[in-house]
Amino acid sequence: MTKAAIIGSGIGGIATAIRLAVKGYDVTVFEANASFGGKMHQFDLQGYRFDAGPSLFTLPHLVDELFTLAGRNPSDYFTYTRLDPITHYFWPDGSHLKAYADAEKFATEAEQQLGVRAQDVQEVLAKSARLYKGTADTFLHKSLHRLDTYLSTDVLKALGCLSDLGLTTTMHDANARLFKDPRFVQLLDRFATYNGSDPYQAPGTLNLIPHLEHNIGAFYPKGGIYSIAASLVKLAEELGVAFRYNERVERIITHNGRATGIETSSARYSAGVVVSNMDVVPTYRRLLPDQPAPEQTLQQPRSSSALIYYWGIAREFPELHLHNIFFSQDYQKEFEHIFRHKSISPDPTVYVNITSKMEKHDAPAGCENWFVMVNVPHHQGQDWEQLISMTRQAVTAKLSRMLQTDLQQVIACEQVLDPLLIEQQTSSYAGALYGSSSNNRMAAFLRHPNFSSKLKGLYFCGGSVHPGGGIPLCLLSARIVGNLVPVVTSVNRSKHHA
């Protein structure tokens, strides 16, 4: 059997391992950390369980697909339920809205709570669905770096949608033309954060993203998001995949224009196929230092990162759901802080994920586990100790005001994750969660392909490459389709919620 070496056991690396194993490859996954999952891991803190990274799950059939390819019944490994409502939104003026799973019900809620015409909401969701269905097979599920993509009949469907894709306008401007209520525009603009971008710079094309959540739906896997990684690792091991933990890859071995294996701190391993699930920047800088790097690609502007406070909350908040968003007063100023000033707004939008709403054992009785996240810039030399303290004060003050309680008094325990730790723990360059940003219309074309054009046998997967990167990584299930090897056509990967 051909040996395959996979660098990193993030969700993309795990899924790649499964697909290769199904096709008969002898697969070994090398992981620098003590366990699998990458950003998709979990931890316990004084009786509270937390999913450390990704928190929103869509397109579950693409995870199911990995089990069916292996001849397994997906429900024997993990199960999930459809969320309703999906998210509870709160604005500084006291208004709030529940985003229901049913598009018609969601539109009615928007009309009743915000005064937005229900018909207009339904029309924008229908347009998002039409454009997604017309373009996904070309721009999301195939490599933009291969000629055969443009010779496919799927291109004809995509060409029919080009005039409505919003390529010549920003995401915000497209939404502001459709809706006069700034609150609903803010809700739609928020989807730019799903791949770490700025709605005031990113093209209107990103308005495809709401289709996945509001038309298809969002889901919750039993056991939390971590259960996805755990169930897939179980499947991979059943298929004979070997996982070598605490074994950091230090170099990709090359010979005569081909990747021939990898070298770790312990040994050298030969392989006919090498797949990097690391960010492409450290892959080239650290693992391929003697190879010419695609500098134009590696120097593309990076996506945003995240600052996360994991709080054990010593009471329950019945007005909150699994997913909750507390918006800022000035959204444009918030993004100027992130992408222009490389700092954090004093009034940030706050995302609160509470899995104990779904599974009571994730927190002690009468308590809740809060994953509290703020969008922040990637690391560029900022004083994160100061920013963490400043932002914590802003977040607790904001939530205390909007929830009419003194939040400081009910935080029983805390752990913090910042861009420096994200880079250290997951090899995400500068802590950028999604590789490069999508703040220009050519961003997808400027991402690294999921194969090397210089070294045969070398491939890439994960959020920093295309296909895969640049679409909502936080949705966990977006599929990378391409030419990993002639017999393998797609891998699965994940992201943080924003």
Side-chain angles (χ1 to χ4, degrees):
M1 294 187 293
T2 300
K3 291 182 179 295
I6 297 177
I7 304 167
S9 65
I11 195 67
I14 298 169
T16 303
I18 290 169
R19 292 182 178 276
L20 288 170
V22 166
K23 295 298 181 180
Y25 285 77
D26 180 2
V27 185
T28 302
V29 180
F30 296 86
E31 172 56 53
N33 294 311
S35 188
F36 56 84
K39 299 182 185 76
M40 193 188 294
H41 67 277
Q42 68 174 2
F43 68 91
D44 293 299
L45 181 66
Q46 297 183 26
Y48 297 85
R49 189 200 75 86
F50 294 93
D51 281 313
S55 58
L56 181 67
F57 183 38
T58 66
L59 304 180
H61 68 277
L62 294 178
V63 178
D64 289 341
E65 181 183 69
L66 295 169
F67 294 100
T68 57
L69 282 173
R72 307 298 205 274
N73 181 354
S75 63
D76 290 341
Y77 292 78
F78 88 115
T79 58
Y80 49 85
T81 56
R82 194 168 191 257
L83 295 176
D84 192 24
I86 300 170
T87 304
H88 198 171
Y89 294 96
F90 299 85
W91 283 270
D93 65 0
S95 56
H96 59 90
L97 177 149
K98 294 178 182 177
Y100 290 102
D102 178 78
E104 184 176 348
K105 190 176 180 182
F106 171 56
T108 299
E109 171 80 353
E111 184 172 79
Q112 292 175 348
Q113 300 297 329
L114 306 180
V116 178
R117 282 206 323 159
Q119 181 180 344
D120 293 340
V121 176
Q122 288 185 277
E123 287 177 357
V124 78
L125 292 180
K127 179 182 178 181
S128 180
R130 177 173 59 82
L131 294 178
Y132 182 89
K133 293 173 183 176
T135 59
D137 287 341
T138 297
F139 294 108
L140 301 185
H141 294 164
K142 292 179 182 175
S143 174
L144 298 178
H145 303 83
R146 289 173 55 91
L147 178 61
D148 56 6
T149 295
Y150 303 97
L151 299 178
S152 167
T153 56
D154 291 327
V155 171
L156 298 178
K157 290 192 301 179
L159 290 174
C161 298
L162 285 182
S163 62
D164 291 330
L165 274 177
L167 293 171
T168 60
T169 188
T170 66
M171 188 179 187
H172 171 76
D173 286 345
N175 290 328
R177 282 200 296 267
L178 292 172
F179 298 95
K180 300 305 179 186
D181 189 290
R183 295 167 298 180
F184 197 74
V185 172
Q186 193 174 26
L187 186 156
L188 294 177
D189 286 351
R190 183 182 72 88
F191 287 98
T193 67
Y194 277 35
N195 67 357
S197 301
D198 175 358
Y200 299 90
Q201 296 185 62
T205 315
L206 294 192
N207 283 320
L208 297 174
I209 297 175
H211 165 67
L212 301 181
E213 185 172 324
H214 286 285
N215 290 322
I216 299 175
F219 303 81
Y220 182 81
K222 184 178 180 181
I225 294 296
Y226 176 77
S227 69
I228 300 173
S231 63
L232 291 176
V233 166
K234 179 181 178 183
L235 171 64
E237 290 176 336
E238 289 177 1
L239 296 173
V241 175
F243 288 83
R244 299 186 67 90
Y245 300 113
N246 295 312
E247 190 161 357
R248 183 183 298 275
V249 174
E250 297 183 343
R251 187 166 69 95
I252 295 174
I253 302 168
T254 64
H255 181 69
N256 289 338
R258 184 174 189 89
T260 59
I262 56 98
E263 182 178 331
T264 73
S265 56
S266 302
R268 290 165 63 101
Y269 301 87
S270 62
V273 169
V274 176
V275 185
S276 177
N277 188 207
M278 290 174 62
D279 187 300
V280 292
V281 176
T283 297
Y284 279 97
R285 302 293 191 227
R286 287 171 18 201
L287 306 186
L288 293 164
D290 299 326
Q291 296 294 321
E295 294 299 336
Q296 182 182 11
T297 296
L298 301 191
Q299 293 175 17
Q300 289 301 304
R302 307 300 289 178
S303 77
S304 61
S305 186
L307 176 56
I308 305 172
Y309 303 90
Y310 306 97
W311 288 340
I313 300 294
R315 59 159 283 192
E316 294 180 310
F317 288 78
E319 65 269 40
L320 300 182
H321 296 273
L322 172 65
H323 301 298
N324 308 273
I325 297 288
F326 297 84
F327 278 119
S328 61
Q329 183 68 49
D330 190 333
Y331 216 33
Q332 186 167 6
K333 183 178 179 180
E334 182 179 351
F335 283 96
E336 287 176 356
H337 272 274
I338 296 171
F339 288 98
R340 183 181 300 176
H341 306 306
K342 316 302 181 186
S343 187
I344 306 173
S345 168
D347 175 29
T349 293
V350 181
Y351 165 65
V352 180
N353 175 249
I354 312 171
T355 62
S356 59
K357 295 290 185 181
M358 305 297 292
E359 302 190 65
K360 291 294 185 182
H361 63 263
D362 280 358
C367 302
E368 294 179 344
N369 62 335
W370 284 23
F371 168 113
V372 182
M373 193 188 100
V374 172
N375 293 301
V376 302
H378 63 276
H379 177 61
Q380 297 170 81
Q382 299 94 329
D383 183 344
W384 286 106
E385 184 176 350
Q386 179 184 23
L387 289 172
I388 289 168
S389 176
M390 177 193 75
T391 304
R392 188 185 190 280
Q393 292 179 23
V395 169
T396 53
K398 181 190 191 79
L399 295 180
S400 294
R401 182 178 65 255
M402 297 180 76
L403 293 172
Q404 299 182 350
T405 189
D406 185 355
L407 198 63
Q408 293 275 20
Q409 299 301 313
V410 296
I411 299 175
C413 56
E414 176 182 272
Q415 187 164 308
V416 181
L417 181 68
D418 63 27
L420 285 174
L421 285 173
I422 291 171
E423 179 175 31
Q424 176 185 327
Q425 296 172 6
T426 69
S427 294
S428 298
Y429 178 65
L433 292 175
Y434 318 109
S436 58
S437 72
S438 294
N439 286 341
N440 69 74
R441 70 190 68 175
M442 298 302 293
F445 297 89
L446 295 173
R447 280 182 176 267
H448 196 288
N450 63 349
F451 60 95
S452 171
S453 59
K454 304 294 184 182
L455 293 169
K456 293 181 180 180
L458 176 61
Y459 302 90
F460 305 83
C461 64
S464 65
V465 300
H466 190 282
I471 53 180
L473 279 169
C474 57
L475 303 178
L476 288 184
S477 51
R479 184 171 55 179
I480 299 173
V481 181
N483 60 341
L484 178 58
V485 288
V487 293
V488 179
T489 58
S490 68
V491 298
N492 191 6
R493 57 94 174 101
S494 74
K495 294 198 155 176
H496 269 68
H497 185 36

